[in-house]
């Protein structure tokens, strides 16, 4: 049975839709040193939905950008080629699961609420480890994308209340691996690789439950690991006070302080508390971002 499920997943990823033409053209243009802002704008103009998303994100109050984009051209100048490319990839990937979202709306809505809150948390934590906050945002919001592949492959067997809305412990990850031949973090990395996401994002998603095993980008993976847990408690209806969140983090990640010290960066409890408070105050912005990506 395990071998059969392994083949089912591999076949599902192999048959996953190819990148939309607009995204492919953006990747090619962004990697071409001879490309200009005009070239990127012309590609974006061929996709009205993507253009709107880029414009909304460029003007997001969350990022506090000093300039407001009145046009797609200005949005590209504000965001830069690489950021526009990441936005396009992420939007296309999210939209590829739109049918699944309609079939399981309540659970998928909760899934994305957690994912976008994780993106916000990762963006806030990232500067502590000198990681680009905008890249961390994408890593956070895509960290559990492998769960959607699981659900899409095993509609009946991948129980929504068991896998989609709970925090993954070491025990549940092992159980997932035994039952489905892959864990969702491994699967997410495979999907991002197929869709030509940057290597640092692939690694961070693949190892966000075991950052110490990442040969490279372990710092990025540690950011996603902590953001994942902060987001879980933020989206949980029960309110935690300062002491509770620190206790919860220590209980779930007992080695987190020593692991961060191995990176040469101390992680005081006050920092964890501060990030959690910020996320509680701002996690509504995650819903706004989701609306931008699914517009």
């Amino acid at each position: 049975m395990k071998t059969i499920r392994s083949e089912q997943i591999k076949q599902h990823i192999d048959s996953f839709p190819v990148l939309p033409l607009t995204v492919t053209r953006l990747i090619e243009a962004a990697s071409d040193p001879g490309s200009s802002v005009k070239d990127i704008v012309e590609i974006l103009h061929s996709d009205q939905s993507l253009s709107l998303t880029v414009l909304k994100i460029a003007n997001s109050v969350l990022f506090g950008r000093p300039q407001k984009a009145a046009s797609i051209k200005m949005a590209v100048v504000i965001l830069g080629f690489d950021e526009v490319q990441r936005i396009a990839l992420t939007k296309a990937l999210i939209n590829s699961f739109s049918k699944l979202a309609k079939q399981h709306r309540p659970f998928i809505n909760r899934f994305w609420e957690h994912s976008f809150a994780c993106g916000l948390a990762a963006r806030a934590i990232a500067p502590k480890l000198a990681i680009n906050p905008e890249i961390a945002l994408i890593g956070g919001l895509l960290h559990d994308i492998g769960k959607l592949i699981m659900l899409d492959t095993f509609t009946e067997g991948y129980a929504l209340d068991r896998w989609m809305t709970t925090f993954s412990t070491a025990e549940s990850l092992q159980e997932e691996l035994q039952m489905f031949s892959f864990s969702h973090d491994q699967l997410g990395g495979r999907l991002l690789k197929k869709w030509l996401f940057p290597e640092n994002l692939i690694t961070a998603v693949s190892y966000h439950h075991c950052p110490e095993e990442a040969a490279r980008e372990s710092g990025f993976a540690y950011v996603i690991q902590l953001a994942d847990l902060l987001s879980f408690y933020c989206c949980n209806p029960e309110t935690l006070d300062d002491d509770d969140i620190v206790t919860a983090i220590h209980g779930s990640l007992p080695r987190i302080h020593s692991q961060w010290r191995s990176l040469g960066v101390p992680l005081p409890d006050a920092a964890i508390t501060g990030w959690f408070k910020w996320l509680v105050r701002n996690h509504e912005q995650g819903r706004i971002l989701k609306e931008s990506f699914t517009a």
Side-chain angles (χ1 to χ4, degrees), residues 67-78:
Q67 293 175 287
K68 291 297 180 181
S71 65
I72 295 299
K73 179 179 179 181
M74 182 58 70
V76 172
V77 171
I78 290 172

Side-chain angles (χ1 to χ4, degrees), residues 125 128 226 230 246 260 266-277:
I125 298 167
K128 185 76 171 176
L226 179 55
L230 290 176
V246 170
W260 276 59
L267 180 63
D269 288 342
I272 295 174
T273 300
W275 288 322
F276 184 68
K277 284 182 175 180

Side-chain angles (χ1 to χ4, degrees), residues 48-227:
Q48 186 176 2
S49 177
L50 179 56
S51 295
L52 182 60
T53 296
V54 169
L55 195 60
K56 283 184 175 181
I57 292 176
N59 286 324
S60 172
V61 296
L62 177 68
F63 302 111
R65 302 186 188 278
Q67 293 175 287
K68 291 297 180 181
S71 65
I72 295 299
K73 179 179 179 181
M74 182 58 70
V76 172
V77 171
I78 290 172
L79 295 171
F81 290 6
D82 289 344
E83 183 68 4
V84 170
Q85 176 184 317
R86 287 192 293 268
I87 290 169
L89 278 166
T90 302
K91 179 179 175 66
L93 188 56
I94 290 173
N95 287 345
S96 69
F97 291 103
S98 58
K99 182 179 179 181
L100 200 63
K102 292 177 182 177
Q103 292 172 339
H104 308 286
R105 191 176 300 277
F107 286 94
I108 301 300
N109 283 345
R110 287 172 61 189
F111 170 85
W112 283 122
E113 179 185 4
H114 164 70
S115 297
F116 276 85
C118 182
L120 294 181
R123 186 180 184 277
I125 298 167
K128 185 76 171 176
L129 290 176
I131 292 166
N132 183 313
E134 316 309 344
I135 297 177
L137 170 70
I138 301 299
L141 71 88
L142 293 180
H143 75 290
D144 275 346
I145 200 73
K147 290 185 177 183
L148 295 184
I149 286 288
M150 291 283 204
L151 180 60
D152 210 19
T153 307
F154 309 113
T155 306
E156 301 299 326
Y158 201 70
L160 289 160
D161 56 350
R162 172 69 180 88
W163 304 106
M164 293 299 294
T165 56
T166 57
F167 180 75
S168 300
T169 63
E171 292 75 17
S172 66
L173 283 167
Q174 188 61 34
E175 184 181 352
E176 190 179 49
L177 187 61
Q178 289 296 320
M179 289 181 66
F180 303 104
S181 77
F182 286 96
S183 57
H184 68 270
D185 47 354
Q186 297 171 342
L187 203 53
R190 289 175 72 104
L191 180 59
L192 295 191
K193 186 173 183 178
K194 176 181 173 64
W195 269 42
L196 305 179
F197 274 79
E199 191 63 36
N200 55 354
L201 278 169
I202 295 170
T203 301
V205 167
S206 300
Y207 292 94
H208 74 271
H209 285 301
C210 51
E212 68 281 1
E213 295 180 15
R216 293 179 294 179
E217 303 294 343
S218 62
F220 193 175
Y222 277 115
V223 166
I224 304 302
Q225 180 190 54
L226 179 55

Side-chain angles (χ1 to χ4, degrees), residues 228-245:
D228 184 15
L229 197 51
L230 290 176
S231 172
F232 172 76
Y233 285 113
C234 177
C235 295
N236 192 301
E238 294 184 5
T239 303
L240 295 175
D241 62 26
D242 295 356
D243 292 335
D244 287 339
I245 188 60

